[in-house]
Amino acid sequence: PEEEAKKAKRKPPAATKSPRKRPKIEPGSLPPPEEGWEDIYNLVEELRKDRTAPVDHDGAEQLPEKNKGEKVYRFQVLVALMLSSQTKDAVVGMTMRKLQQAGAGLTVENIHSMDPQTLNELLHSVGFHNNKTVFIKAAAETLIEKYQGDIPPTADEMMELKGVGPKMAYIVEQIAFGRQTGIGVDVHMHKNFNKLNWVNSKTPEQTRVQLEGWLPREKWSEVNVLWVGFGQKLQQQKGKLLRKIMTCSNPLGAMKLVK
């Protein structure tokens, strides 16, 4: 009886709470943020018409060699995006040109056979070059073993490669295959879209999901380069951007974007 009384006093273990999951947002399921968003979007298009931001000449679409064949082109698109994390486009451009001129060039076979130390030296200027050396070497091995030297055909499969996240994968997919299953969102876009109240998010990935919920599909392929370039011009070419604002169709509205 005494033992039974002790058992009765024992409390059952507290139920473990399962982590709360955010409800999935399907593309096109959200209403636009507010009236006037298209006017702002069109204004940024106007301010970006000259295409003189770093991303316009040192971005992943411009850097790969188109005369080396489709597989090489696609591999170079992937490498350019893998190098881009935490690195300015000008540095990515310089590093890509080094890789293209090294040995047999920037091909999956050459990177696969290249000594890791040699590759690391070529990547020395980019952010986190030690990690990127490991990731790019591993990617080259996977591409040869699983994809006959080509890149994975879908963004989901690209994300299985170490060092490739959603932003990179969706941009590679769009450039290499002309297919857009998601939006590549970087820090520039994340900050700007929260400032405009187009999203309410804490991370670029949350921004991506919310943006896909309401932005028309026909704008998915252009939104990254458009707004990344705008953010770059604001940071690196502010004087030039301000002069352009003074002669644009809506100077007051444009000034609000750069405050």
Side-chain angles (χ1 to χ4, degrees), residues 12-189:
T16 56
K17 292 184 179 179
S18 58
R20 290 182 64 187
K21 290 184 178 179
R22 291 176 177 270
K24 188 175 180 182
I25 299 174
E26 295 292 339
S29 64
L30 297 179
E34 60 182 25
E35 285 187 19
W37 75 265
E38 285 181 286
D39 294 333
I40 296 171
Y41 194 99
N42 293 338
L43 189 54
V44 170
E45 285 185 318
E46 181 184 346
L47 295 171
R48 286 277 289 118
K49 234 173 208 180
D50 61 357
R51 289 294 192 262
T52 57
V55 70
D56 297 315
H57 47 80
D58 279 325
E61 192 164 359
Q62 286 72 34
L63 292 171
E65 299 170 297
K66 296 181 180 179
N67 62 337
K68 302 288 186 180
E70 291 184 4
K71 278 189 180 181
V72 172
Y73 174 75
R74 288 193 286 264
F75 177 64
Q76 291 191 11
V77 171
L78 176 64
V79 172
L81 264 300
M82 292 180 76
L83 295 176
S84 68
S85 174
Q86 303 292 315
T87 306
K88 289 184 176 180
D89 284 331
V91 177
V92 173
M94 177 186 69
T95 304
M96 283 289 290
R97 287 182 277 274
K98 280 185 182 179
L99 290 168
Q100 289 163 350
Q101 294 163 14
L106 183 47
T107 67
V108 65
E109 293 82 9
N110 191 33
I111 295 299
H112 183 255
S113 62
M114 188 178 289
D115 178 70
Q117 185 176 346
T118 301
L119 179 59
N120 197 17
E121 288 171 1
L122 289 166
L123 304 189
H124 183 74
S125 298
V126 303
F128 301 101
H129 59 90
N130 292 329
N131 288 341
K132 290 175 183 178
T133 296
V134 174
F135 295 155
I136 290 172
K137 286 287 289 181
E141 185 170 350
T142 299
L143 301 192
I144 288 172
E145 289 181 355
K146 290 184 65 177
Y147 298 99
Q148 294 76 51
D150 207 344
I151 68 172
T154 68
D156 285 342
E157 288 175 88
M158 289 179 213
M159 285 182 244
E160 293 176 7
L161 300 172
K162 289 182 179 178
V164 178
K167 181 198 84 169
M168 298 179 196
Y170 290 128
I171 296 174
V172 172
E173 186 181 54
Q174 191 268 318
I175 296 172
F177 298 110
R179 189 171 61 247
Q180 195 78 45
T181 60
I183 299 172
V185 172
D186 84 332
V187 176
H188 291 297
M189 297 166 69

Side-chain angles (χ1 to χ4, degrees), residues 184-200:
V185 172
D186 84 332
V187 176
H188 291 297
M189 297 166 69
H190 171 62
K191 289 180 178 177
N192 274 318
F193 295 163
N194 273 281
K195 181 180 173 183
L196 291 167
N197 292 318
W198 287 5
V199 297
N200 181 13

Side-chain angles (χ1 to χ4, degrees), residues 231-243:
Q232 288 176 339
K233 288 178 78 71
L234 182 57
Q235 283 188 344
Q236 303 172 36
Q237 305 172 12
K238 193 166 185 179
K240 184 177 179 180
L241 179 61
L242 289 172
R243 289 192 294 274

